[in-house]
Amino acid sequence: MMERDLRGYGSAPPAHRWPGGAGLAVNFVLNVEEGSEYAVEHGDGRSEAALLEVRAPRVPPGERDLAAESMYEYGQRVGFWRIHDLFRERGLPLTIFASAQSLERSPEIAAAIRAAGWDICAHGWRWVEHYRLDRETEAEHIARAWDSIKATTGRAPAGWYCRYAPSIHTRELVVAHGGYRYDSDAYNDEVPYWTNVSGKSHLVLPYSLVTNDAKFLSGDVYRPADFADLLIDSFDVLRAESAGRARMMNVGLHSRIVGHPGRLAGLTRFLDHIADADGVWVAGREEIAAAWADMAAGDARGDAGRDAGGSRMAAR
């Protein structure tokens, strides 16, 4: 049984600093899912119905929805490259939440990710819900994703993240696999934390569905300016708080969503806002996980885990 932890760090969150003395770590995530979603061609018996540009699909269930397929194709054909160019031009790191089959079907994108040096978090072998899989099939998907991504990009994924929600077995299976250094199947904190899985200390880097471009399709925001304001306000509050404690901000992106030109304007406005901000570390997820693990190792030694303010962070 997975026990819930409603306390977390409580009233004493870690006060240590990120590399360079930064208080706030900002991580941009690009979800690469297109081509691995539900589709009749995959034998799923239906087309994908989530995160589309329409409120509800029009095509009857069980039939091939060519419009839905086309909306997803936009992400690989156009959106990815627009986001790729934006981040390369600005020299910004990007974490790829990669559904392995998506990269298998788009080798040019896999090559671009490899050339950019962006770190990778496995987002499933396919973009399907793991809570719908039996334990044996889920273990197979977790292993297959790791092997596939390593083959297509030349390096193994550092972390794991399910579509929306994990199953009750996911974290245990991820740890048992042995190749993943963290998972992001949590939305319950704003800094990483340690948990015990089958007697092993395991790192969790929480993700966010709040500062996420999926808000465009849920109807929470419509205008690029609204998305920019959401990101900017979140950043400003977190940055102010980070003067006394470590904070982390996730920005979730999708090629088929923010990759459209008008929406990209909102993301660009946010990038301009944070460009010259002091005390901010823009980093890949793998870097963030490594920094947190270094702090935990230093704490265990009893010396290197102490930051300038004298606080300590322990692996829990």
Side-chain angles (χ1 to χ4, degrees):
M1 293 292 295
M2 294 180 62
E3 295 184 5
R4 297 180 67 188
D5 179 3
L6 298 176
R7 180 178 181 275
Y9 291 108
S11 60
H16 82 282
R17 315 311 289 167
W18 295 107
L24 174 60
V26 177
N27 174 238
F28 293 94
V29 169
L30 178 61
N31 292 267
V32 178
E33 304 154 345
E34 297 83 1
S36 66
E37 75 278 6
Y38 288 112
V40 174
E41 63 171 325
H42 294 151
D44 298 319
R46 65 183 179 91
S47 292
E48 182 60 65
L51 292 185
L52 298 174
E53 296 290 340
V54 293
R55 293 289 185 183
R58 275 74 157 169
V59 178
E63 296 184 19
R64 190 173 177 184
D65 189 338
L66 298 181
E69 291 180 16
S70 189
M71 292 175 205
Y72 270 72
E73 289 166 9
Y74 180 92
Q76 300 296 76
R77 293 166 61 106
V78 182
F80 172 85
W81 298 107
R82 181 170 282 129
I83 297 166
H84 168 274
D85 292 349
L86 175 65
F87 277 78
R88 290 303 300 272
E89 289 168 1
R90 294 188 178 230
L92 291 172
L94 191 61
T95 294
I96 305 297
F97 275 10
S99 296
Q101 193 177 77
S102 181
L103 296 185
E104 291 174 7
R105 302 184 69 178
S106 300
E108 189 177 0
I109 287 178
I113 292 169
R114 180 171 60 247
W118 292 331
D119 72 302
I120 304 172
C121 175
H123 195 17
W125 172 58
R126 287 191 57 204
W127 196 54
V128 299
E129 298 96 336
H130 273 233
Y131 55 81
R132 298 182 184 275
L133 304 177
D134 61 65
R135 183 186 176 93
E136 181 179 355
T137 301
E138 183 175 19
E140 179 184 348
H141 276 230
I142 289 169
R144 194 166 181 177
W146 196 90
D147 292 338
S148 173
I149 291 171
K150 184 177 180 181
T152 55
T153 67
R155 62 183 185 278
W160 173 269
Y161 174 67
C162 281
R163 174 175 175 169
Y164 177 65
S167 77
I168 59 173
H169 306 296
T170 304
R171 184 162 290 162
E172 177 190 352
L173 293 173
V174 166
V175 172
H177 177 273
Y180 298 98
R181 297 195 285 281
Y182 71 87
D183 80 64
S184 289
D185 285 327
Y187 308 95
N188 56 3
D189 215 315
E190 291 171 342
V191 287
Y193 61 88
W194 298 87
T195 187
N196 187 290
V197 180
S198 302
K200 298 180 180 178
S201 186
H202 175 67
L203 184 61
V204 178
L205 269 65
Y207 187 50
S208 176
L209 297 182
V210 177
T211 46
N212 193 299
D213 69 357
K215 295 295 185 182
F216 280 113
L217 300 188
S218 67
D220 293 303
V221 299
Y222 291 99
R223 300 165 55 247
D226 295 333
F227 184 55
D229 287 345
L230 172 64
L231 297 182
I232 289 169
D233 289 345
S234 299
F235 173 85
D236 288 348
V237 170
L238 289 170
R239 186 183 176 208
E241 292 179 348
S242 71
R245 64 193 67 179
R247 281 289 186 245
M248 175 181 171
M249 179 177 178
N250 298 279
V251 180
L253 309 170
H254 299 74
S255 299
R256 65 188 179 278
I257 301 178
V258 82
H260 286 273
R263 292 172 180 159
L264 195 81
L267 174 62
T268 302
R269 180 182 165 196
F270 175 66
L271 296 182
D272 291 340
H273 180 76
I274 70 172
D276 299 317
D278 295 328
V280 178
W281 180 45
V282 181
R285 227 164 176 77
E286 187 172 358
E287 292 180 286
I288 291 171
W292 204 263
D294 286 346
M295 289 297 297
D299 185 77
R301 291 193 300 270
D303 52 5
R306 296 185 181 276
D307 62 30
S311 64
R312 301 182 68 186
M313 178 191 68
R316 301 192 295 165

